[in-house]
């Protein structure tokens, strides 16, 4: 592996970890939004702040990659990984916004399970970022793949429930919009994992 | 053209053909789902298997491109083409899932026509992949462009029908979700064709 | 900055300006669609023509970048900027199509405000393209960021209104589809601005 021979700028691993930590924070906020008696408007505001913080980290990575002579892996890949992490945050922020705006009295229990999956994805991603340095990331992206498959199954169950006749059309519209955004969040984690896999294959 | 001067790894053309063949299979499954008396759950399951097979081909391309010293065209372009082909499969799988889950008794006839377009796109794409070797792909991407325009027209007719007062809101929601996914499938084929066009322009 | 040392093909700045001018045209058409007594079908047709014209400009950029030996900035970035500008046009065309097809009698006043934001984005983008030559683009992408935040707020207000009980489910479906497409248009402008920012950071 060509990797260990390069003078490596360790700051990138630090920044990617920081970026993933924003996602851990965001997924925790999402989970809190489904708890009883939460002030959802307050949580949505916290989420917007978390999203701004994530934006700043992304910008820092992009500026550093363009100023650094020797990067630990391909410039293009650093850039793409930074933006793919940022995309996850954008989906989370959208989900929080919708949950707040739609004023749904009570979400079906399956929704919280989907958010559990999101939290596990965030934690796995945060744990994997420092391991980019040794390319010990196979177990990470395989596990994200498994969580994504679990998310798909859970998505299908939720859709079946939504259209089961229990909800009126306006409620279906609201709930489906939230479900779709939660699913997009998990898919965005999978896109991050595919980018990491590609970096590992290339560098190993 | 620099192309014929390079020692070419023919395996890539073979793998792209294989990738496009999964789309031919997927589009045939979609067509079967609209036939009378089909076991839609069984077809959706077959589609998930086709999607897994397509995933394996994509991974094989990505791993090969990262291990091969001389590639027939830009590494980045091989990579992008592999993922754009994979995106089509993801849309098809989503369409199959929704058609199964929504348990629509009868789809408007226009839906099957949209699937016809999808099948023609898949066959054109599969026929074009071996021709990447000689860059004889102009007729292919022009024809995909024409099919995409036909798809747009057909989409507009379907939307007009859906909102014509014949369907209740829940049915509109279900049918529109399927229509949008079929349209996204055709758009994904167009994105593949644009990638092929770009490769042809660059290499010729 | 390495920039001024290169023999620059000025045609690219000209073509990017042309590409952005199509967006100015498109956003004006969108605004006209919300005016009283407009022939929406005629405007949607004009939009489709504007989209075809934009496609031709995009293709010209892509072909030129692949034929030109020395480009003013990274080949990949020229390519990406061309396609990101084109993506905005596609969203605008989709919005125009939906506005026409859905035959909504009267749009809430907030919709026209969202289109105002889109027009300002288009004008800022068109004004920024010639300034790529001197990389004097910071004020541009910062302002697009501000407009995008304003768009988000306005989006939230519109969603609250749509689900406020005043509209039936079918109307909500139609109006939400339009609102989502207008929001996607603003997001597409932000993606252009991020691409421009990245070019500026890299080249400066």
């Amino acid at each position: 592996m060509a990797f260990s021979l390069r003078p490596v700028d360790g700051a990138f691993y630090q920044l990617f970890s920081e970026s993933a930590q924003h996602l851990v924070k965001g997924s925790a906020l999402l989970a809190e939004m489904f708890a009883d008696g939460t002030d959802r408007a307050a949580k949505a505001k916290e989420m917007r702040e978390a999203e701004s913080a994530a934006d700043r980290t992304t910008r820092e990575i992009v500026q550093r990659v363009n100023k650094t002579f020797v990067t630990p892996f391909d410039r293009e890949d650093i850039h793409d990984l930074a933006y793919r992490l940022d995309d996850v945050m954008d989906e989370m922020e959208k989900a929080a916004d919708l949950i707040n705006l739609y004023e749904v009295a009570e979400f079906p229990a399956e929704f919280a399970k989907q958010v559990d999956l999101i939290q596990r994805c965030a934690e796995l991603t945060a744990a994997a970022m420092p391991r980019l340095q040794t390319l010990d990331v196979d177990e990470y992206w395989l596990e994200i793949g498994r969580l994504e498959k679990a998310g798909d199954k859970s998505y299908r169950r939720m859709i079946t429930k939504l259209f089961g006749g229990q909800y009126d059309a306006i409620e279906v519209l609201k709930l489906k919009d939230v479900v779709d955004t939660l699913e997009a969040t998990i898919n965005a984690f999978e896109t991050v994992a595919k980018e990491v896999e590609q970096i590992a294959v290339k560098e190993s």
Side-chain angles (χ1 to χ4, degrees), chain A residues 61 70-71 109 111 130 141 188:
Chain A
I61 297 174
V70 181
T71 53
F111 280 57
W141 62 256

Side-chain angles (χ1 to χ4, degrees), chain A residues 75-164:
Chain A
R75 216 166 281 279
E76 187 77 19
D77 287 325
I78 292 178
H79 188 269
D80 285 356
L81 180 55
Y83 277 114
R84 294 303 78 76
L85 287 162
D86 202 57
D87 289 344
V88 182
M89 196 75 215
D90 289 347
E91 292 298 339
M92 284 184 180
E93 188 198 9
K94 187 178 168 195
D97 255 356
L98 295 177
I99 292 165
N100 176 40
L101 288 171
Y102 285 158
E103 301 183 345
V104 175
E106 200 180 354
F107 283 96
E110 288 83 357
F111 280 57
K113 283 187 198 156
Q114 200 78 340
V115 174
D116 280 349
L117 288 178
I118 289 173
Q119 284 199 278
R120 284 170 60 193
C121 285
E123 283 153 17
L124 280 169
T125 305
M129 290 301 113
R131 294 207 309 269
L132 272 171
Q133 205 149 2
T134 51
L135 299 178
D136 170 24
V137 289
D138 283 10
E139 188 42 46
Y140 150 71
W141 62 256
L142 286 168
E143 181 63 14
I144 294 284
R146 283 187 286 263
L147 292 174
E148 196 271 337
K149 294 268 176 236
D152 273 358
K153 266 194 198 168
S154 155
Y155 178 79
R156 286 193 279 269
R157 273 196 302 271
M158 287 192 285
I159 292 291
T160 306
K161 178 157 192 175
L162 285 191
F163 287 92

Side-chain angles (χ1 to χ4, degrees), chain A residues 182-201:
Chain A
L182 296 178
E183 207 221 356
T185 306
I186 297 183
N187 288 342
F189 272 115
E190 200 192 18
T191 304
V192 169
K194 282 185 175 168
E195 180 62 34
V196 168
E197 179 195 0
Q198 198 201 317
I199 291 171
V201 170

